[in-house]
Amino acid sequence: MGLKEVYHLPDGIITLGKMKPATLITILFYTGIIGTIYFAFQFGKYIAISNAVMKTIVFDQGYNQVVTNNYILGFFAGVMCFVVLLVIWKVACELLLMIFNALSAYVNRKG
């Protein structure tokens, strides 16, 4: 029983040169989403920390102001960053797919 039968891998994933370009770009796209999520999270955290707000706390004798992070702004900045990066990553993957398809058609026509 080989590795392919144990893990139920589709044809062409382990061997080089047998995978279709669409499958390769799909795997690349979903793998790149992990990096996009990480970068968007870090960007949202940076925005939340760098744009602190003053919060007023009322006591019996008066009030005091405390500096806190702006988590709401950081959340929305992270979501917006994720959406923008996802669109850019999708366009980049689509361009790669077009390049691979054009090269495949060129090689098939010449060969």
Side-chain angles (χ1 to χ4, degrees):
M1 185 179 279
L3 181 68
K4 187 172 158 183
E5 290 83 18
V6 171
Y7 292 107
H8 305 289
L9 297 174
D11 291 333
I13 290 224
I14 295 177
T15 58
L16 294 175
K18 300 217 177 195
M19 187 181 297
K20 295 179 182 178
T23 307
L24 179 68
I25 297 298
T26 302
I27 293 171
L28 179 70
F29 175 72
Y30 287 123
T31 305
I33 288 177
I34 296 169
T36 303
I37 290 171
Y38 175 75
F39 186 77
F41 176 75
Q42 292 298 325
F43 181 74
K45 189 167 75 170
Y46 171 75
I47 294 294
I49 292 171
S50 65
N51 293 308
V53 293
M54 297 293 285
K55 185 175 181 182
T56 304
I57 300 174
V58 178
F59 294 107
D60 292 335
Q61 294 88 9
Y63 65 93
N64 193 7
Q65 290 186 343
V66 179
V67 178
T68 60
N69 296 332
N70 196 348
Y71 291 117
I72 304 276
L73 180 63
F75 174 75
F76 286 121
V79 168
M80 291 295 290
C81 180
F82 176 71
V83 169
V84 168
L85 288 177
L86 189 64
V87 169
I88 292 171
W89 184 241
K90 175 73 173 172
V91 168
C93 287
E94 288 290 335
L95 287 174
L96 279 174
L97 184 61
M98 287 173 43
I99 290 170
F100 283 154
N101 285 337
L103 287 174
S104 176
Y106 178 75
V107 167
N108 288 339
R109 189 178 63 203
K110 288 288 184 178

